[in-house]
Amino acid sequence: GGGGRTRQCGLVRAMRDACVVRAACAGFAAACVGGASTALERMARGGLARRSARGARRYSASVLRRASACSSRLTRIRRVETARACAAKGLAAHEEAQVRAMETLRVLAELRLTLAAPVDVYGPSALTYQCASESERQYQVLISTMLSSQTRDLALGPVVRRLQETSNASGARGLTVERILGESEESLSELLRGVSFHHTKAKNILAATQRLVSDFDAQVPRSLDSLLALKGVGQKMAHIVMHAAFGDITGIAVDTHVHRIANRLGWASSWHSRSNAPEKTRNQLEVLFPREQWQRVNHTLVAFGQTICEARRPQCSNCPVAQACVAPQIGQQPARAEVK
């Protein structure tokens, strides 16, 4: 009767589902996913034999769901394996690039020993003078570094010497906290004439010095975050101060020379970045070089950029690493970095 045909149709659908299950499970078995697919196929065959038409359909659907879960697990496993393979390939490429960069840096460091660069005489760490205490020397490093922003070392030296060798109206002499706080913004701006943006720098130096007195007991803080909280102090300045004042290496200080040469040598790829290019260069260099080489990078590239690898007229014929330069392939000259 009608009931018999219904049961027969139900069994046909159940067996059709069972065939789908067996086909799916056979595929999973071929992939050898922990034997789970074989178990599912066995469950499907045994379970269908013991169930009515409706129960068989439900059981078949249950097995299909479990098979689908196995498929998802297999997909995840394959994705992880693919990611690991890509990571291994990327690591090998990074290690190869690091070896080449270290060799280039070694050659430049040997050349650096023979170079007499302006930074050696007028750099912030070279300009400390007649300091009565270590805290005074650290303050002179901070102010010299703030004045060095976007200013040639040859122009920086005379301005710092002027501060160190003169007195304010109240008689305080030298480049000290007391003397700077005794200056008005106008008088300090006049003393700073010769460095770029001397009006802005006078305002920033007064604000930073007042902050040192109010928050740090008139001491230069030995903390990158605290230095960055001072008005007018950027990432490059903070890293320089941490090393020159305290001997701590917290990052690579990227000025216009480091930014330019790193891109010319292919160590960084921030030539055409419209914003925050020095920070991008710093991040790429700190990934490329081990931490113990960070200070060497700045010390070597600044002098190299001041004497040989200049921005507009690089002396390529005198460059010992000219074969490593990628500038001709990527536009020759990068935009000059605006670095604080």
Side-chain angles (χ1 to χ4, degrees):
R5 284 195 296 273
T6 302
R7 285 193 296 273
Q8 186 178 7
C9 292
L11 285 171
V12 169
R13 286 195 297 270
M15 294 309 296
R16 183 189 60 199
D17 292 344
C19 290
V20 174
V21 170
R22 283 195 293 273
C25 292
F28 301 140
C32 299
V33 186
S37 53
T38 303
L40 287 171
E41 185 178 4
R42 188 166 56 250
M43 288 167 59
R45 288 173 175 172
L48 285 170
R50 298 190 301 269
R51 281 167 170 75
S52 63
R54 181 177 298 178
R57 287 198 301 274
R58 291 176 181 173
Y59 186 75
S60 178
S62 172
V63 174
L64 280 172
R65 284 195 297 271
R66 298 184 191 182
S68 177
C70 285
S71 176
S72 299
R73 180 169 175 264
L74 177 61
T75 301
R76 289 195 298 271
I77 290 172
R78 286 175 175 167
R79 286 176 179 172
V80 170
E81 290 175 348
T82 301
R84 286 175 178 170
C86 292
K89 185 176 180 180
L91 180 61
H94 171 74
E95 290 175 347
E96 183 181 349
Q98 190 175 57
V99 169
R100 292 197 303 268
M102 287 293 294
E103 176 59 21
T104 302
L105 182 62
R106 182 192 65 78
V107 173
L108 291 178
E110 290 179 357
L111 176 67
R112 174 71 175 90
L113 298 175
T114 68
L115 299 177
V119 69
D120 297 330
V121 180
Y122 299 114
S125 59
L127 286 173
T128 54
Y129 176 70
Q130 293 183 350
C131 300
S133 64
E134 181 64 13
S135 62
E136 185 176 318
R137 185 190 71 82
Q138 293 163 359
Y139 180 72
Q140 290 195 12
V141 169
L142 172 63
I143 301 304
S144 299
T145 304
M146 293 178 70
L147 292 174
S148 70
S149 174
Q150 301 177 46
T151 299
R152 292 181 177 273
D153 289 331
L154 291 173
L156 172 67
V159 173
V160 175
R161 288 285 182 250
R162 189 185 307 148
L163 290 173
Q164 292 169 333
E165 296 173 358
T166 58
S167 306
N168 62 17
S170 60
R173 182 179 178 82
L175 182 49
T176 63
V177 171
E178 295 76 17
R179 185 269 172 86
I180 293 300
L181 289 181
E183 298 283 356
S184 65
E185 185 177 321
E186 292 74 17
S187 64
L188 183 57
S189 177
E190 189 62 29
L191 285 168
L192 301 185
R193 188 175 294 275
V195 300
S196 59
F197 309 107
H198 57 94
H199 294 299
T200 301
K201 289 179 180 178
K203 183 185 301 183
N204 290 343
I205 286 173
L206 283 173
T209 303
Q210 291 165 355
R211 182 77 179 273
L212 292 181
V213 173
S214 63
D215 294 357
F216 303 105
D217 195 26
Q219 306 292 314
V220 176
R222 190 173 183 171
S223 162
L224 192 67
D225 290 339
S226 297
L227 287 171
L228 290 172
L230 300 176
K231 189 173 179 62
V233 176
Q235 284 281 347
K236 183 200 78 170
M237 296 182 197
H239 291 307
I240 290 176
V241 172
M242 288 298 294
H243 179 260
F246 304 106
D248 297 341
I249 299 175
T250 55
I252 297 176
V254 176
D255 67 352
T256 185
H257 302 293
V258 176
H259 174 69
R260 178 178 69 253
I261 297 169
N263 279 276
R264 284 180 175 175
L265 292 176
W267 295 350
S269 56
S270 54
W271 290 64
H272 305 298
S273 298
R274 294 183 177 274
S275 63
N276 214 21
E279 271 303 286
K280 293 177 181 177
T281 298
R282 181 178 69 85
N283 291 334
Q284 292 170 350
L285 289 176
E286 289 178 359
V287 169
L288 182 62
F289 290 98
R291 190 182 187 91
E292 59 269 18
Q293 297 294 331
W294 287 0
Q295 179 56 27
R296 191 185 191 190
V297 171
N298 176 270
H299 178 73
T300 301
L301 296 193
V302 170
F304 183 59
Q306 289 181 336
T307 55
I308 294 179
C309 193
E310 298 176 290
R312 296 179 180 174
R313 292 178 296 276
Q315 303 173 32
C316 299
S317 59
N318 296 328
C319 178
V321 294
Q323 73 283 356
C325 184
V326 299
Q329 287 79 33
I330 53 179
Q332 186 61 35
Q333 300 294 342
R336 186 178 293 273
E338 298 296 330
V339 189
K340 274 193 173 185

